[in-house]
C-alpha cells in the first residue's frame, strides 16, 4: 500500500509529545513491512523534503494552529505524483480536514490520541475564592458590574475534532478505555471503531538497563501538567519521605501551567514542597534519545495521570524494566495487564501513590519481578510482528469503505 501519515508532530523538529513517537514507530513498522510510506509534518525551523531511515518526510514551517491549511497543498501536489491509497491523521487539531475537503475520495483513518476537549476539561483549574475576587475587583476597576466567573462548557455538536473523526472511514483507538469514552461523549459509530495499540520497538539502550537497580530514585517523566497527576505525586512526596527518607524524586519534563496564574508547575511544586527540596530534582525537557539515561537512574516510575490514553513514557519505562506505578484512569490498565506488570492507583489519590511506591521501595525483589514482566510484555504484545497485520487490516477496511461510499460529502467542520 501507499500510505501517508499527516501529523504536526514528528521527530526531531516537532517531537513534543507521544504522537511524535507513535508516528515515528509506525512509519518504521510499515516501511519494514514493504509499504510505501511518507510523512507530512510541521516544523518551527524549516520547510524541506528529506528521507529519514528510508521514509520520505515532507516538513512545512508553520505554527501548529495553521498546519492543516499549510500542509494540504504540499500533500495535494505529492498525491498527484504518488496516488496514495490511504491517509492517517490524529484527531487532535483535525489536521487532515483541508486535505479531505479538496480530495474527498481519499480513504481516511483517524487515530485517537487524546482529544483537546478532554485535555482542557482535566487541566482547567477550578477557580478559588481569591481568583473570583480578583475577577470581580478587575471589573469594578474598569467601571463595570462584575459578571459571573467564566466556566468551561463543552458542546460536542460544534467540536471540530469530533466532526472530523465522524468523517473517517476507520477510527483506531490505542486503548479500549478511550474508545469507550468517546463512543459516549462523541457518539462515535461503533462499527467503524477498532482497538489498535501503538506499535513499539524499544531502543536497545532501554533493553540494556539492568532490572535489579537500587538507585532509591522515583521519577515522573512527562509534561508537568495537571492532567498528568503531578500534583498528586507532589502531595505524596512528604509522606513517602517520612517512611523512606533516603528516596530521591526526579521530575523529567517541561513545566506547563499550574493552578496559580502566572506560575509554572515547577515553581508551584517547589513552593509547596519547600522543606523537601533537597530530595527533589527538576531536569526540564530531555531529548527522546536521552530518555534511557533518565530511566537508568530510576528504580520506580510514577505516572498518576487523571486521564491517560496510551502513554509512550509508560512503554519506555516497561522496556527499561522499571517498577511502574500507573493510573487506573485510561489505557495503563491495559498496558500493565492489571497489576501483573506494575501497580495501579486511582486518579487523584495521593495515598495510593504513597502505598504503591512504599511497597516497591521496601520489596525490591517484587519490583524486579514486575519489571521483568513489563519488559517481556513489551516485546510480546507491541512488536511490529504483532501490530503490523492489525495496522494493515485497519487501512484495508478504510479503503474498502471509501470505495463503497464514493466521494465524501462536505461536513460542518469544513470551511
Amino acid at each position: 500500500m501507499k500510505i501517508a501519515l499527516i501529523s504536526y508532530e514528528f521527530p526531531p523538529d516537532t517531537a513534543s509529545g507521544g504522537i511524535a513517537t507513535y508516528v515515528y514507530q509506525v512509519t518504521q513498522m510499515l516501511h519494514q513491512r514493504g509499504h510505501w510510506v511518507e510523512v507530512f509534518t510541521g516544523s518551527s525551523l524549516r520547510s524541506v523534503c528529506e528521507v529519514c531511515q528510508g521514509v520520505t518526510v515532507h516538513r512545512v514551517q508553520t505554527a501548529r494552529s495553521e498546519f492543516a491549511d499549510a500542509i494540504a497543498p504540499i500533500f495535494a501536489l505529492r498525491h498527484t505524483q504518488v496516488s496514495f491509497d490511504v491517509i492517517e491523521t490524529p484527531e487532535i487539531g483535525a489536521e487532515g480536514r483541508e486535505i479531505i475537503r479538496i480530495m474527498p475520495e481519499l480513504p481516511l483513518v483517524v487515530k485517537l490520541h487524546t482529544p483537546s476537549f478532554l485535555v482542557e476539561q482535566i487541566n482547567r483549574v477550578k477557580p478559588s475564592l481569591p481568583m473570583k475576587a480578583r475577577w470581580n475587583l478587575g471589573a469594578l476597576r474598569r467601571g463595570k458590574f462584575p459578571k459571573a466567573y467564566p466556566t468551561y462548557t463543552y458542546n460536542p455538536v460544534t467540536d471540530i475534532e469530533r466532526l472530523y473523526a465522524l468523517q473517517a472511514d476507520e477510527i483506531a483507538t490505542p486503548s479500549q478505555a478511550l474508545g469507550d469514552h468517546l463512543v459516549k461523549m462523541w457518539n462515535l459509530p461503533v462499527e467503524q471503531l477498532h482497538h489498535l495499540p501503538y506499535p513499539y520497538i524499544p531502543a536497545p539502550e532501554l533493553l540494556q538497563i539492568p532490572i535489579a537497580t537500587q538507585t532509591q530514585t522515583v521519577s515522573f517523566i512527562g509534561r508537568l501538567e495537571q492532567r498528568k497527576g503531578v500534583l498528586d505525586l507532589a502531595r505524596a512526596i512528604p509522606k513517602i519521605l517520612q517512611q523512606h527518607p533516603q528516596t530521591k524524586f526526579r521530575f523529567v519534563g517541561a513545566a506547563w501551567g499550574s493552578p496559580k496564574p502566572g506560575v509554572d508547575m515547577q515553581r508551584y511544586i517547589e513552593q509547596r514542597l519547600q522543606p523537601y527540596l533537597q530530595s527533589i530534582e527538576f531536569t526540564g525537557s530531555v531529548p527522546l534519545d536521552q530518555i534511557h539515561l533518565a530511566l537508568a537512574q530510576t528504580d520506580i516510575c510514577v505516572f498518576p495521570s487523571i486521564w491517560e490514553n496510551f502513554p509512550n513514557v509508560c512503554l519506555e519505562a516497561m522496556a527499561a524494566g522499571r517498577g511502574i506505578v500507573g493510573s487506573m484512569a485510561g489505557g495503563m490498565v491495559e498496558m500493565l495487564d492489571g497489576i501483573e506488570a506494575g501497580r495501579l492507583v486511582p486518579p487523584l489519590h495521593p495515598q495510593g501513590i504513597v502505598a504503591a511506591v512504599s511497597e516497591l521501595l521496601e520489596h525490591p525483589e517484587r519490583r524486579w519481578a514486575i519489571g521483568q514482566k513489563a519488559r517481556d510484555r513489551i516485546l510480546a504484545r507491541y512488536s511490529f510482528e504483532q501490530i503490523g497485520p492489525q495496522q494493515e487490516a485497519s487501512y484495508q477496511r478504510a479503503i474498502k469503505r471509501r470505495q463503497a461510499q464514493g466521494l465524501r460529502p462536505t461536513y460542518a467542520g469544513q470551511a
Side-chain angles (χ1 to χ4, degrees):
M1 285 182 284
K2 297 176 182 178
I3 304 162
L5 288 103
I6 291 87
S7 168
Y8 182 79
E9 293 186 27
F10 189 76
D13 296 31
T14 48
S16 57
I19 295 176
T21 302
Y22 161 73
V23 177
Y24 173 76
Q25 290 268 346
V26 81
T27 55
Q28 290 303 304
M29 177 183 73
L30 294 168
H31 174 66
Q32 290 180 25
R33 293 180 66 83
H35 301 286
W36 182 297
V37 188
E38 299 193 15
V39 178
F40 295 80
T41 186
S43 174
S44 61
L45 307 169
R46 55 189 176 144
S47 292
V48 67
C49 177
E50 59 186 354
V51 177
C52 301
Q53 294 184 283
V55 174
T56 300
V57 179
H58 307 265
R59 302 183 193 271
V60 59
Q61 187 174 2
T62 184
R64 184 167 202 157
S65 60
E66 300 171 356
F67 175 67
D69 292 322
I71 203 64
I74 296 171
F75 175 85
L77 177 60
R78 185 60 175 161
H79 184 53
T80 63
Q81 300 165 342
V82 174
S83 188
F84 291 103
D85 295 312
V86 63
I87 65 171
E88 179 189 321
T89 82
E91 88 284 22
I92 297 172
E95 293 178 344
R97 63 184 183 273
E98 182 65 12
I99 289 174
I100 64 167
R101 184 188 71 81
I102 61 179
M103 288 163 279
E105 75 284 358
L106 271 173
L108 169 66
V109 174
V110 168
K111 185 78 167 187
L112 301 176
H113 295 279
T114 302
S116 299
F117 87 89
L118 194 52
V119 176
E120 173 69 13
Q121 282 182 345
I122 296 170
N123 278 338
R124 189 168 181 83
V125 176
K126 184 178 180 180
S128 62
L129 289 176
M131 290 170 66
K132 291 181 178 179
R134 286 194 296 269
W135 170 267
N136 293 334
L137 286 172
L140 292 172
R141 290 193 189 101
R142 295 190 297 272
K144 297 181 179 180
F145 186 79
K147 298 180 180 179
Y149 193 91
T151 58
Y152 175 75
T153 57
Y154 173 64
N155 184 4
V157 174
T158 58
D159 186 342
I160 190 172
E161 293 178 358
R162 171 183 175 269
L163 296 172
Y164 178 66
L166 291 173
Q167 292 296 302
D169 300 294
E170 169 95 357
I171 304 170
T173 179
S175 70
Q176 192 64 54
L178 180 61
D180 292 344
H181 187 68
L182 291 183
V183 165
K184 296 177 183 176
M185 289 296 298
W186 278 5
N187 196 27
L188 295 181
V190 293
E191 69 275 7
Q192 289 164 236
L193 179 69
H194 292 87
H195 182 205
L196 179 57
Y198 293 160
Y200 183 71
I201 296 298
E205 294 85 355
L206 292 173
L207 298 177
Q208 291 164 6
I209 295 173
I211 288 177
T213 57
Q214 283 278 48
T215 67
Q216 297 297 299
T217 299
V218 177
S219 293
F220 169 89
I221 303 175
R223 291 190 296 266
L224 275 58
E225 60 173 315
Q226 187 160 306
R227 178 173 68 95
K228 300 288 186 179
V230 290
L231 294 179
D232 298 304
L233 175 56
R235 294 184 185 102
I237 285 175
K239 294 182 180 179
I240 296 172
L241 286 172
Q242 288 175 9
Q243 301 175 35
H244 306 280
Q246 302 305 313
T247 306
K248 299 294 183 182
F249 295 87
R250 303 180 83 214
F251 291 85
V252 181
W256 284 30
S258 78
K260 190 173 181 179
V263 177
D264 70 32
M265 190 64 83
Q266 177 178 334
R267 289 175 54 208
Y268 183 79
I269 293 173
E270 288 173 336
Q271 291 170 3
R272 292 172 65 90
L273 295 179
Q274 190 68 36
Y276 309 98
L277 291 183
Q278 72 277 6
S279 299
I280 302 171
E281 177 187 3
F282 294 86
T283 71
S285 295
V286 172
L288 291 176
D289 60 1
Q290 300 297 309
I291 289 294
H292 69 280
L293 298 177
L295 288 166
Q297 298 167 14
T298 295
D299 282 343
I300 301 167
C301 288
V302 182
F303 306 124
S305 300
I306 299 172
W307 167 265
E308 198 72 70
N309 174 23
F310 202 85
N312 276 287
V313 289
C314 188
L315 294 173
E316 291 161 344
M318 292 171 71
R322 303 301 81 190
I324 298 172
V325 177
S327 171
M328 291 180 180
M332 276 186 276
V333 178
E334 302 163 35
M335 298 169 74
L336 297 173
D337 194 22
I339 61 170
E340 289 300 310
R343 294 293 182 262
L344 294 165
V345 297
L348 304 172
H349 197 270
Q351 190 55 47
I353 299 172
V354 174
V357 170
S358 296
E359 178 204 353
L360 297 182
L361 287 171
E362 294 165 8
H363 302 282
E365 71 290 343
R366 248 181 245 177
R367 186 179 77 240
W368 301 337
I370 66 173
Q372 186 64 60
K373 288 180 180 177
R375 181 176 283 177
D376 293 343
R377 185 170 174 80
I378 280 286
L379 297 173
R381 294 293 184 92
Y382 305 119
S383 69
F384 288 177
E385 291 75 18
Q386 286 290 322
I387 304 299
Q390 299 177 51
Q391 191 98 13
E392 291 163 347
S394 176
Y395 294 145
Q396 289 163 355
R397 285 192 297 266
I399 293 169
K400 184 177 180 181
R401 185 173 188 275
R402 184 47 45 200
Q403 288 174 343
Q405 296 206 351
L407 296 182
R408 179 181 288 104
T410 301
Y411 70 101
Q414 293 175 331

